[in-house]
Amino acid sequence: MFSEEHRLAGVAYPEGFTAAGVRAGIKKSGNLDVAVIYTEKEAAVAGVFTQNLVAAAPVHVSKVVVNTGTAHAIVANAGCANACTGEQGLQNAEKTASVAAQALNCRQDDVVVASTGVIGVNLDMEKMEAGIKNAVSKLSREGSVNAGNAIVTTDTYSKACATEIEIGGKTVKFGAIAKGSGMIRPNMATMLCFITTDADIERNLLQNALSEIAEVTFNMISVDGDMSTNDMVIVLANGAAGNPKITEKNSDYEKFYSTLKNICTELSKKIASDGEGATKFLTINVTGAETFKDAKQVAMSVANSPLVKTAFFGEDPNWGRVICAVGYSGVKIIPEKTVVKFGNIPVYENGLGAKYDANELKKVMAAHDIVIEIDLNIGNVDATVWSCDFSYEYVKINGEYHT
């Protein structure tokens, strides 16, 4: 579904979109740090944001833009979160939108702004302004890779994908870039995700689709259990594909919804797999729950357990840590009915440790991708959470992050 060629085109793959990423000097590393995504044709806009009550200035500004229903551009920077920066931070976020609007000849409330990086530091607006103008001058259909690289922080790579489908006899394209590696927790994370499409869809339907999909994709990942101040997912749909406008939940909507969900799922997995210092990608499937909330709560309890994470880093099949996390999750379970498997190998059942082939289990624990199956056997609702292990490198990265 997601070809390499399309992935490289990313957010500039859909018709009418261009992108750029430039070096403005905001990052200490000197890498690319300002990105611009633009559509001349007005786009319907939808967004979901961090639920952290200490939200960064760009989150507040971008919520206003999303509430207008339309947008033309996204401006993002890495290296400075512009969070906990008071009135000055809010002014800087608004100035970012203003500078971009002037350079792109659109309204200020048509510009979504996003930031990621160190909390409590003011944006260097002289560098930011120069970076925005430079990025606007370099906007192109080939600019998505640089834009993706300009928003990463501790990521080992920029996440991206793109695809196309047919709706109403027209080819409809989708593209995306995302970043996220640490401070990843459900209800969004230190995560920025920008999705573009040339589909023509009514704005409220677009928002409903994104909100629903985020609940089962981006809100189902956890690297370290910390919730950031800056997270957002933004979708721009400019209608350039010329498909009959999607105004109701019909077959065209279902095609659109399914594709958007596939993109969000793909990016969620990439973010969890690329957790800071991660050496293992953990998929936690909880089945047999009474409600989705219960299934998710159990899965997250396991995903957020430092003891579980370190056990998998050490390739230690310590199932006791997993069933312990299930037990304290706050969800009513029946231990004698609960079954835990690593890979397809039962390690806990009937309230006791199961007998297993140690050599076969060793192979499971040595793999990069590991599936933890937890069957509660008290209902028929499932949930899947994606996570990773804790390594020595995670401690090193976060011990030195601010300095």
Side-chain angles (χ1 to χ4, degrees), residues 98-314:
S98 174
V99 170
Q102 289 179 342
L104 295 167
N105 194 29
C106 65
R107 299 193 314 270
Q108 181 174 331
D109 64 2
D110 275 333
V111 180
V112 172
V113 295
S115 299
T116 183
V118 178
I119 292 171
V121 177
N122 283 314
L123 265 175
D124 185 325
M125 289 309 296
E126 184 175 341
K127 291 179 178 178
M128 190 67 186
E129 183 169 353
I132 293 168
K133 292 177 180 178
N134 186 20
V136 169
S137 73
K138 293 182 177 179
L139 286 169
S140 75
R141 296 298 300 274
E142 292 75 43
S144 184
V145 172
N146 281 348
N149 287 332
I151 63 173
V152 299
T153 49
T154 56
D155 309 62
T156 62
Y157 68 99
S158 170
K159 291 78 180 168
C161 62
T163 191
E164 64 182 49
I165 58 173
E166 185 176 302
I167 295 180
K170 300 291 185 179
T171 298
V172 173
K173 299 178 180 179
F174 295 76
I177 58 173
K179 65 82 56 177
S181 191
M183 281 189 90
I184 301 293
R185 179 183 170 161
N187 305 322
M188 310 288 286
T190 297
M191 188 189 81
L192 302 179
C193 178
F194 308 128
I195 302 170
T196 59
T197 178
D198 50 23
D200 195 356
I201 182 171
E202 193 271 329
R203 186 264 167 182
N204 288 332
L205 279 181
L206 180 64
Q207 182 63 59
N208 289 341
L210 178 61
S211 296
E212 286 182 10
I213 289 168
E215 283 299 310
V216 293
T217 56
F218 295 117
N219 288 347
M220 299 298 281
I221 59 177
S222 182
V223 167
D224 48 22
D226 278 322
M227 186 191 299
S228 174
T229 54
N230 289 62
D231 325 306
M232 67 177 73
V233 178
I234 300 293
V235 181
L236 298 180
N238 69 3
N243 62 287
K245 187 168 186 175
I246 302 171
T247 59
E248 60 181 348
K249 293 184 178 181
N250 52 22
S251 59
D252 287 351
Y253 174 81
E254 293 304 322
K255 286 183 180 179
F256 179 92
Y257 186 100
S258 177
T259 305
L260 183 61
K261 185 178 179 181
N262 286 340
I263 288 172
C264 294
T265 300
E266 173 81 0
L267 294 173
S268 295
K269 290 180 178 180
K270 287 179 182 291
I271 289 168
S273 181
D274 193 38
E276 290 174 339
T279 69
K280 306 288 184 183
F281 173 52
L282 307 177
T283 298
I284 303 162
N285 293 324
V286 174
T287 58
E290 292 183 323
T291 66
F292 176 78
K293 179 181 178 182
D294 284 353
K296 177 179 177 179
Q297 193 165 322
V298 169
M300 281 296 176
S301 183
V302 174
N304 289 329
S305 166
L307 290 179
V308 170
K309 289 175 174 295
T310 50
F312 279 91
F313 170 65

Side-chain angles (χ1 to χ4, degrees), residues 37 52 60 73 111 113 147 184-185 189 195 228 242 310 335 349 362 370 377 391:
I37 302 166
N52 194 320
H60 293 293
V111 180
V113 295
I184 301 293
R185 179 183 170 161
I195 302 170
S228 174
T310 50
E349 57 188 353
K362 186 176 181 180
I370 302 175
N377 281 307
S391 70

Side-chain angles (χ1 to χ4, degrees), residues 61-73:
V61 170
S62 293
K63 281 183 176 180
V64 173
V65 176
V66 168
N67 285 338
T68 70
T70 60
H72 280 277

Side-chain angles (χ1 to χ4, degrees), residues 331-350:
V331 173
K332 182 180 178 181
I333 67 159
I334 302 173
E336 291 76 19
K337 286 189 175 184
T338 303
V339 177
V340 177
K341 297 179 182 179
F342 294 170
N344 290 318
I345 301 175
V347 292
Y348 173 89
E349 57 188 353
N350 300 317

